[in-house]
Amino acid sequence: MSDLAQALASLEAAAQADLAAALDVSAVDAVRVRYLGRKGSLAAILRGLGGLDAAERPLAGKLANEVKTRVEAAIGTRRGALVAVAQAAALAAERLDVTLPGQPVAMGRLHPSTQVLRRICQIWANMGFQIYRSRDVESDELNFELLNIPAHHPARDMWDTFYTETEGVLLRTHTSPGQIHAMREFHPEPIRVILPGMCYRYEQITARSEIQFHQVEGLAVGRHITMTDLKGTLISFAHRMFGANRQVRFRASYFPFTEPSAEMDVECLICGGSGCGICKQSGWLEILGCGMVHPRVLQNGGYDPSVFSGFAFGMGPERITMLLHRIDDIRFFWGNDLRFLEQF
Ligand SMILES: [Zn+2]
C-alpha cells in the first residue's frame, strides 16, 4: 500500500514538473496524454490495484482519484494561462494603429448638366409635379403620329433621328412621346408630371447642336386648365430657377402638338437686359417652348378634349447650363474632357 502511495506521489510530482516546463498548449496536451491517457502512467498504476488485498482497494482507489483530480486541475490551469499568453502575443503582434491617416479617396462631382437637371427637377417637384420616366427607344407612332406630326408633315424635317433596323422603331427626338405614355397611364385622372431624359437627333455636330442632349418636358392635364395657368406656372418656375426679380416674356410660336404655342424668354442672365454678345444685343434669352396641349393629342392620350385641357412645355438643361455658366460650345458636354468637367 505504501508502495502505491509512493508511486502516486512521484507521478503527481513528475506531472507538475512537466507542466511547469510546458511552454505551449500542445506541450500541455502531451502531458495530459502521458499521465492521464488510456496508456498513461496513472492507468498503469491503477492496473496494479488488482494485486492488493480487497480491504486495501477502496483506500487505494480514493488516493488514485485524488491525484487524478489534482493533476487535471493543474493541467487546466496551465493550459488557460498559456492560451491567455498566446492571445496577448497575437493581439500585440497584429495591433492596428487607428491613428494612421487613411488612403485619401478622390472626390467625384456631378456633371454640370446633371447638376442643372437635378435643380430643374427639384423646382418642379416643389411645385407638385411628379417625375415620369419614359423610354429612349420609341416607335414612329409615339414619337410623331400621336403628337400630330404625320409622315408628310414638314415639321419632321426639324426632327431627323436615328432609326433602328426594325421598321418604325427609332431613338426619340424629344421627350414628348412621354406625354402620350403618361396620359394613357393616368387617364381620366388629372396629371402633373415632368419627363426628363435623353433625346437624339441626326444632325451635324457643331458648337450649337449635338446628336444627343437632355430635355425636360412638362405636362399638366385636368379640367379648366387655361393659358393663364401655363403662364403663371412657368413664370413661377423661371423666378425659382433664375431669380425672383427676373423679367420673362412669351412670344407666339408653333409646335404641332400644342395650340396655341409660345416660347418663353428670360431677361439675359449676363447683361441683365441691357444687351450683350450672349443675347445678341436683344436683352432676352430663350429658355423653353410651351403651349396648350392640342385637342388631337389629348384625344390620343385618352382624354375627351371637350372636358379636359392641359398645357405642356419643354426645356433643354444643356442650353440652360450654357447660359448659366457662359459655355459657348455644346460639344464640351459629352467630350469627357476633365479640364472642362473639373470646373464645376
Ligand atoms: Zn445679354
Side-chain angles (χ1 to χ4, degrees):
M1 178 63 201
S2 61
D3 287 351
L4 178 76
Q6 190 74 46
L8 285 171
S10 59
L11 177 145
E12 184 175 356
Q16 293 286 10
D18 282 1
L19 275 179
L23 295 178
D24 56 38
V25 171
S26 62
V28 172
D29 290 339
V31 171
R32 179 196 303 278
V33 171
R34 195 177 313 139
Y35 293 96
L36 305 181
R38 269 192 302 126
K39 295 176 182 171
S41 319
L42 185 65
I45 292 173
L46 290 176
R47 274 195 292 276
L49 285 180
L52 289 175
D53 291 346
E56 285 177 330
R57 275 183 216 157
L59 182 59
K62 183 168 174 282
L63 262 180
N65 266 329
E66 283 168 4
V67 168
K68 186 182 179 195
T69 304
R70 283 199 297 275
V71 172
E72 263 176 351
I75 289 173
T77 304
R78 182 67 177 157
R79 202 172 196 284
L82 287 172
V83 166
V85 167
Q87 275 177 349
L91 282 176
E94 294 162 18
R95 189 191 206 96
L96 276 182
D97 183 353
V98 293
T99 64
L100 272 178
Q103 302 276 357
V105 177
M107 287 289 282
R109 67 196 79 206
L110 290 175
H111 191 283
S113 129
T114 307
Q115 293 178 25
V116 171
L117 186 64
R118 289 194 179 181
R119 196 166 143 209
I120 292 170
C121 290
Q122 196 171 22
I123 291 171
W124 285 110
N126 288 340
M127 291 168 70
F129 282 70
Q130 279 186 301
I131 292 176
Y132 187 91
R133 286 276 178 193
S134 185
R135 63 191 72 161
D136 285 23
V137 180
E138 270 298 353
S139 66
D140 186 281
E141 187 187 23
L142 267 296
N143 194 75
F144 293 120
E145 299 279 338
L146 296 174
L147 293 168
N148 207 24
I149 315 172
H152 58 79
H153 200 287
R156 283 213 182 193
D157 293 346
M158 303 191 299
W159 282 296
D160 200 4
T161 186
F162 297 95
Y163 293 86
T164 66
E165 287 179 348
T166 309
E167 201 181 339
V169 176
L170 46 83
L171 295 184
R172 65 178 176 187
T173 57
H174 47 184
T175 42
S176 307
Q179 289 190 25
I180 302 287
H181 288 294
M183 284 192 277
R184 289 186 170 178
E185 182 174 336
F186 295 125
H187 79 93
E189 299 298 321
I191 296 179
R192 272 192 208 89
V193 292
I194 56 165
L195 310 120
M198 192 65 87
C199 304
Y200 309 85
R201 303 266 171 96
Y202 181 64
E203 278 192 31
Q204 182 87 36
I205 298 174
T206 68
R208 312 210 121 252
S209 61
E210 252 288 3
I211 58 169
Q212 64 170 58
F213 53 91
H214 283 104
Q215 232 176 34
V216 177
E217 184 103 359
L219 175 69
V221 178
R223 293 165 197 261
H224 315 300
I225 291 182
T226 66
M227 190 81 184
T228 314
D229 298 311
L230 176 155
K231 288 181 71 174
T233 308
L234 290 177
I235 290 170
S236 178
F237 166 76
H239 286 166
R240 290 164 194 240
M241 186 79 199
F242 302 108
N245 299 317
R246 190 74 56 184
Q247 296 289 315
V248 303
R249 72 175 183 185
F250 289 85
R251 284 177 292 105
S253 184
Y254 169 77
F255 303 106
F257 33 89
T258 46
E259 180 59 35
S261 306
E263 274 165 3
M264 188 174 88
D265 298 342
V266 297
E267 201 178 28
C268 178
L269 308 172
I270 314 297
C271 64
S274 57
C276 69
I278 304 287
C279 60
K280 300 197 183 84
Q281 309 306 325
S282 71
W284 296 98
L285 296 169
E286 183 207 321
I287 292 301
L288 55 83
C290 56
M292 300 304 291
V293 181
H294 196 288
R296 210 167 293 156
V297 175
L298 276 175
Q299 208 158 26
N300 290 338
Y303 288 85
D304 179 353
S306 67
V307 179
F308 291 92
S309 55
F311 64 80
F313 53 86
M315 66 189 84
E318 279 86 37
R319 178 172 162 70
I320 292 175
T321 309
M322 289 171 82
L323 296 174
L324 287 172
H325 297 296
R326 303 192 200 186
I327 299 164
D328 56 8
D329 194 325
I330 198 171
R331 289 172 291 195
F332 284 129
F333 284 101
W334 319 122
N336 279 338
D337 189 333
L338 286 179
R339 291 171 300 177
F340 169 74
L341 297 171
E342 283 177 346
Q343 293 177 51
F344 300 95

